[in-house]
């Protein structure tokens, strides 16, 4: 992490002169620039997400764009190529501050690496709304996110029920630096330790949310543990990777539970390869992010955390209108 802090420090020391003009922006609801929020101008909200490689982020973006259009705001929505690109995300946040938006939305890949830039945003009177993952800083006005520990505990409860409360279970988690990675790991592990004494959890493996890497990890675990009963994938890439790993290994009878949605996961649940998963409400998260940013621009008080909700889904309820509304392909 020291490398990332050095990046921040260097950028701040140079007054951002070392940063590029755009920082890898991939898309946006409108062109960036100017804070707005006064004199009849549309307020500009700069949003930096964790990435674009998962359908989850596309759904968050859609929710943010729709709400911005409805409320008369301008947004940009960008993220690094992969969720391992912490340094690139720090540069994107640096550039976002430099544009002097009316507010910033930020989903941290590393909960600590961005702390110096949070202080820079505060000094520039730019309110920050954290979303999806929190930041280890008091600067964000609020954090719009799933209660990831509670959601992971729900996944653990279903896993225990599905395997009869005993046997070996493996975890493939996307990272150990973001709040989502930490909380989805800890929520699952803590529930099992407290409620399922006959379930043996194997050491946690980290696949960076990369499908291919997570699939390789899954195959290695299966080879070393032929009596494995269950797999938990802590995000979209991890869960799809586990499904691929189990399928490629040819092993039958392993219960898989996951996190998030996406076409591959939905197909796996419909076919029975995956037992079920936790879905968040990414469109609602994007909408809440914009609403919170506009409230912060107007100086309104907000709770420190806004729970955007989660649901367990499997093939029995995947077509329920309430569930279908928060799934995404």
């Amino acid at each position: 992490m020291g490398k990332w802090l050095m990046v921040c420090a260097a950028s701040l020391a140079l007054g951002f002169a070392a940063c590029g003009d755009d920082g890898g922006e991939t898309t946006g609801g409108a062109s960036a620039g100017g804070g707005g929020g006064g004199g009849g101008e549309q307020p500009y909200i700069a949003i930096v997400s964790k990435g674009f490689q998962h359908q989850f982020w596309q759904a968050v973006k859609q929710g943010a764009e729709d709400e911005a259009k409805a409320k008369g705001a301008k947004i940009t929505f960008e993220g690094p190529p992969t969720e391992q690109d912490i340094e690139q995300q720090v540069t994107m946040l640096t550039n976002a501050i430099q544009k002097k938006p009316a507010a910033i939305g930020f989903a941290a890949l590393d909960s600590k690496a961005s702390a110096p830039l949070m202080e820079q945003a505060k000094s520039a009177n730019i309110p920050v709304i954290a979303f999806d993952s929190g930041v280890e800083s008091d600067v964000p006005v609020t954090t719009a996110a799933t209660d990831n520990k509670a959601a992971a505990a729900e996944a653990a409860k279903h896993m225990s029920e599905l395997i009869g409360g005993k046997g070996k279970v493996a975890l493939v988690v996307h990272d150990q630096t973001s709040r989502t990675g930490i909380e989805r790991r800890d929520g699952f592990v803590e529930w099992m330790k407290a409620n399922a004494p006959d379930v043996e959890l194997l050491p946690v493996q980290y696949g960076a949310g990369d499908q291919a890497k997570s699939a390789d990890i899954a195959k290695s675990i299966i080879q070393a543990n032929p009596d494995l009963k269950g797999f938990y994938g802590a995000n979209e890439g991890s869960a799809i990777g586990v499904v691929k790993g189990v399928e490629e290994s040819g092993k039958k009878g392993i219960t898989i539970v996951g996190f998030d949605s996406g076409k591959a996961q939905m197909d796996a649940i419909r076919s029975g390869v995956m037992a079920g998963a936790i879905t968040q409400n990414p469109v609602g998260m994007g909408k809440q992010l914009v609403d919170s940013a506009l409230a912060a621009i107007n100086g309104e008080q907000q709770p420190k955390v806004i729970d955007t909700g989660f649901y367990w889904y499997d093939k029995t309820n995947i077509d329920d209108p309430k569930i279908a509304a928060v799934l995404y392909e």
Side-chain angles (χ1 to χ4, degrees):
M1 188 185 69
K3 181 180 180 182
W4 320 132
L5 292 173
M6 290 175 64
V7 171
C8 293
S11 297
L12 293 169
L14 293 171
F16 310 112
C19 300
D21 181 59
D22 187 80
E25 185 172 343
T26 56
T27 187
S31 60
E41 294 182 11
Q42 290 182 310
Y44 165 48
I45 305 165
I47 301 173
V48 179
S49 80
K50 285 184 175 180
F52 271 89
Q53 76 274 38
H54 297 152
Q55 291 302 311
F56 177 83
W57 297 114
Q58 293 293 328
V60 174
K61 174 176 172 286
Q62 186 63 55
E65 287 181 343
D66 290 348
E67 190 67 3
K69 183 178 180 180
K71 297 291 178 62
K74 298 188 299 185
I75 69 168
T76 48
F77 196 107
E78 58 184 327
T82 79
E83 294 187 12
Q84 301 173 70
D85 296 323
I86 298 172
E87 183 176 3
Q88 189 166 345
Q89 191 194 43
V90 167
T91 300
M92 287 179 169
L93 180 59
T94 300
N95 290 348
I97 295 171
Q98 188 180 26
K99 292 173 183 174
K100 300 179 181 178
I104 288 175
F106 182 56
L109 283 172
D110 187 312
S111 61
K112 297 179 180 177
S114 59
L117 289 173
M118 292 292 101
E119 294 298 328
Q120 181 68 21
K122 181 179 179 180
S123 297
N125 294 317
I126 302 170
V128 177
I129 309 300
F131 68 102
D132 184 68
S133 282
V135 179
E136 295 193 22
S137 165
D138 292 331
V139 170
V141 175
T142 188
T143 299
T146 303
D147 183 340
N148 283 293
K149 286 194 77 172
E154 182 72 10
K157 184 184 77 171
H158 283 277
M159 171 65 84
S160 179
E161 292 172 352
L162 289 162
I163 64 173
K166 59 183 178 182
K168 288 183 180 178
V169 172
L171 292 78
V172 179
V173 178
H174 41 295
D175 65 61
Q176 50 189 328
T177 58
S178 71
R179 293 311 308 171
T180 60
I182 294 167
E183 291 171 4
R184 292 179 194 177
R185 176 196 65 200
D186 292 351
F188 191 92
V189 170
E190 290 171 7
W191 191 95
M192 284 296 190
K193 287 183 176 178
N195 299 282
D198 294 328
V199 171
E200 178 187 352
L201 295 180
L202 297 178
V204 179
Q205 301 290 316
Y206 298 94
D210 181 82
Q211 294 180 26
K213 185 175 180 180
S214 298
D216 289 341
I217 290 172
K219 285 185 284 189
S220 295
I221 291 173
I222 292 169
Q223 187 173 25
N225 299 275
D227 55 344
L228 187 73
K229 289 289 188 181
F231 255 127
Y232 165 61
N235 79 341
E236 182 180 340
S238 305
I240 295 172
V242 167
V243 167
K244 289 184 175 180
V246 170
E247 288 181 326
E248 291 171 6
S249 75
K251 183 75 174 180
K252 304 295 183 185
I254 295 178
T255 297
I256 306 171
V257 303
F259 222 105
D260 294 324
S261 178
K263 187 176 186 308
Q265 275 202 81
M266 293 171 68
D267 288 346
I269 288 173
R270 291 185 190 281
S271 70
V273 174
M274 175 178 277
I278 297 292
T279 183
Q280 306 176 77
N281 183 359
V283 174
M285 187 182 293
K287 176 180 181 298
Q288 183 62 59
L289 164 61
V290 170
D291 285 343
S292 292
L294 292 174
I297 293 167
N298 292 327
E300 299 173 16
Q301 293 293 316
Q302 300 182 70
K304 289 301 289 183
V305 176
I306 298 174
D307 185 357
T308 54
F310 66 86
Y311 302 91
W312 167 263
Y313 71 104
D314 55 27
K315 61 182 177 182
T316 69
N317 68 352
I318 192 170
D319 294 317
D320 183 305
K322 184 174 74 174
I323 298 299
V326 294
L327 300 177
Y328 46 91
E329 294 191 349

